[in-house]
Amino acid sequence: MWLLRLKYHLSVNIWTLLLLGSAWLPLSEGTPKSSSPFRTFQVTDWSLTHLVVHNKTGEVYVGAVNRIYKLANNLTLLRTHVTGPVDDNEKCYPPPSVQSCPHGLVSTNNVNKLLLVDYSGNRLIACGSASQGICQFLRLDDLFKLGEPHHRKEHYLSSVNESGTMSGVIIEVQNGQNKLFIGTPIDGKSEYFPTLSSRKLMDSEENAEMFGFVYQDEFVSSQLKIPSDTLSKFPTFDIYYIYSFSSEQFVYYLTLQLDTQLTSPDSTGEQFFTSKVVRLCVGDPKFYSYVEFPIGCVRDGIEYRLIQDAYLSKPGKALAKQLGISEHEDILFTVFSQGQKNRVKPPKESVLCLFTLKKIKDKIKERIQSCYRGEGKLSLPWLLNKELGCINSDNSRFNSVDANR
């Protein structure tokens, strides 16, 4: 769902829920009428996939199939940058621009899958589906192409051409190395692509270290791969990254993934999906801080577990008063579809759910602390292929470092 559409839903909500776990609270009913018409931007030849708004100028950058658009803050078209179609074949690895490929090349649409403003570099990062998922760096002023790294395996993010399934966060490090956190589905190609990684964001687009892993040695690196054992058991398993953001020293993702505990390994059986919050410490280059937590909504006894989109924002005066919270508190607005099936074509029944970021953090903190006390199990079935029992251990480090974060 589009950010603009999401904002529209916030202004005409029929029923809004405040939920964490299985609790919900109806906030308001009715459909307030808008006194002014909405401005629009429309294209008829290419599908739109992403949108980002410059936080100072209000200019809008739109990702699409084969195109990147720059709009004024009144949605007037200013610039267009062409990204496709290109001669390609998803079986070609490395892409044909680097190495000759035995597979036939065909004219292929380039679906924009990631669109981020890199403010420190005054540039736009636009990653597509073509050529194994390479990215272009475009100058913010006029969309001039500054560079297109494509010679190293770290430059290939994923060839999956489904939009709305990859998400990224830029972390600016004062007097240090900026980072790009990327989450992406891999379509079973775990030997080529990590599902989650932290990359170097260099000042120069031509720097050989661009998109290199923040940390890498013989045994550990700044990435998570879907294990081959998981893919052998569940060939269609993947993780779809719907939305991401940073808060304090953490990066968060909202993901949708195959529920391996409900889905039978038999490929002909019914598939179930689950939505999760994923969190990582920004300063953890080895990803030891990785944690995930299920998230969903319940209304009238009906579960809504298929995350469709999300947006982190402040509540505003009226909503903050209704929720009994500060106007300065972060609220995660989310849209969920009903049930746990039909990821590609979810049911039309959906709800708009509100989560305070504080309560999400508290819930994760509570779970980590209980595991330190030896309570319950560490459940990461897709990564570990099993559940590990929590072990009672000294949590003094947790209490001193993470307890209030």
Side-chain angles (χ1 to χ4, degrees), residues 112-126:
N112 173 252
K113 299 190 302 177
L114 185 67
L115 195 67
L116 297 171
V117 174
D118 178 10
Y119 291 98
S120 64
N122 192 40
R123 59 194 178 184
L124 192 68
I125 304 176

Side-chain angles (χ1 to χ4, degrees), residues 213-233:
F213 297 120
V214 169
Y215 180 87
Q216 187 165 22
D217 64 20
E218 186 178 353
F219 305 104
V220 182
S221 60
S222 303
Q223 61 175 321
L224 279 182
K225 289 196 170 189
I226 299 176
S228 56
D229 289 348
T230 299
L231 294 173
S232 295
K233 189 175 181 180

Side-chain angles (χ1 to χ4, degrees), residues 78-365:
L78 299 178
R79 299 280 182 178
T80 301
H81 174 74
V82 177
T83 60
V86 298
D87 291 334
D88 194 23
N89 188 313
E90 66 174 15
K91 295 180 181 179
C92 296
Y93 187 96
S97 59
V98 177
Q99 179 177 302
S100 60
C101 179
H103 305 286
L105 303 183
V106 295
S107 180
T108 305
N109 286 333
N110 193 2
V111 180
N112 173 252
K113 299 190 302 177
L114 185 67
L115 195 67
L116 297 171
V117 174
D118 178 10
Y119 291 98
S120 64
N122 192 40
R123 59 194 178 184
L124 192 68
I125 304 176
C127 305
S129 59
S131 303
Q132 301 298 332
I134 62 175
C135 303
Q136 294 185 2
F137 289 85
L138 308 177
R139 192 162 55 201
L140 290 179
D141 298 338
D142 54 8
L143 299 187
F144 174 78
K145 186 167 76 172
L146 300 169
E148 188 177 31
H150 63 281
H151 289 97
R152 300 176 57 198
K153 64 179 182 179
E154 289 85 0
H155 298 153
Y156 315 137
L157 303 185
S158 173
S159 59
V160 175
N161 62 8
E162 182 180 350
S163 65
T165 59
M166 174 190 280
S167 191
V169 178
I170 294 174
I171 301 297
E172 294 187 8
V173 181
Q174 191 171 9
N175 300 320
Q177 176 68 65
N178 289 350
K179 307 173 187 177
L180 174 61
F181 284 81
I182 298 174
T184 179
I186 63 165
D187 194 25
K189 301 174 183 176
S190 61
E191 71 275 25
Y192 294 153
F193 312 117
T195 185
L196 189 62
S197 58
S198 176
R199 313 295 188 109
K200 298 175 183 177
L201 196 55
M202 312 305 294
D203 293 335
S204 171
E205 295 79 19
E206 303 303 325
N207 191 311
E209 289 296 309
M210 178 67 82
F211 290 162
F213 297 120
V214 169
Y215 180 87
Q216 187 165 22
D217 64 20
E218 186 178 353
F219 305 104
V220 182
S221 60
S222 303
Q223 61 175 321
L224 279 182
K225 289 196 170 189
I226 299 176
S228 56
D229 289 348
T230 299
L231 294 173
S232 295
K233 189 175 181 180
F234 298 95
T236 62
F237 181 86
D238 222 331
I239 302 177
Y240 306 93
Y241 294 80
I242 309 302
Y243 181 68
S244 58
F245 61 93
S246 62
S247 175
E248 297 177 334
Q249 82 276 34
F250 296 111
V251 171
Y252 293 83
Y253 286 91
L254 286 175
T255 70
L256 187 60
Q257 59 183 259
L258 189 73
D259 192 323
T260 57
Q261 295 174 308
L262 294 179
T263 301
S264 169
D266 181 4
S267 59
T268 62
E270 205 165 29
Q271 291 186 334
F272 295 84
F273 294 86
T274 184
S275 300
K276 294 188 176 183
V277 176
V278 170
R279 191 181 76 175
L280 275 170
C281 290
V282 168
D284 172 22
K286 300 180 182 179
F287 283 20
Y288 292 153
S289 62
Y290 180 94
V291 62
E292 61 181 40
F293 191 87
I295 188 171
C297 301
V298 177
R299 178 191 172 191
D300 298 334
I302 299 175
E303 291 190 359
Y304 296 80
R305 297 289 298 277
L306 299 174
I307 183 74
Q308 301 299 302
D309 210 338
Y311 186 66
L312 186 72
S313 187
K314 306 296 182 184
K317 186 175 182 179
L319 183 56
K321 184 177 180 181
Q322 286 183 299
L323 295 175
I325 61 175
S326 166
E327 294 178 46
H328 305 291
E329 188 161 342
D330 286 325
I331 297 289
L332 188 60
F333 299 91
T334 60
V335 176
F336 285 87
S337 288
Q338 183 178 319
Q340 290 185 258
K341 306 175 185 178
N342 303 318
R343 182 194 70 83
V344 177
K345 294 183 179 180
K348 293 182 180 179
E349 294 79 6
S350 61
V351 291
L352 175 64
C353 306
L354 276 64
F355 300 81
T356 64
L357 188 54
K358 180 181 182 300
K359 287 196 174 184
I360 291 178
K361 291 180 177 180
D362 288 346
K363 198 72 174 180
I364 294 175
K365 171 187 167 184

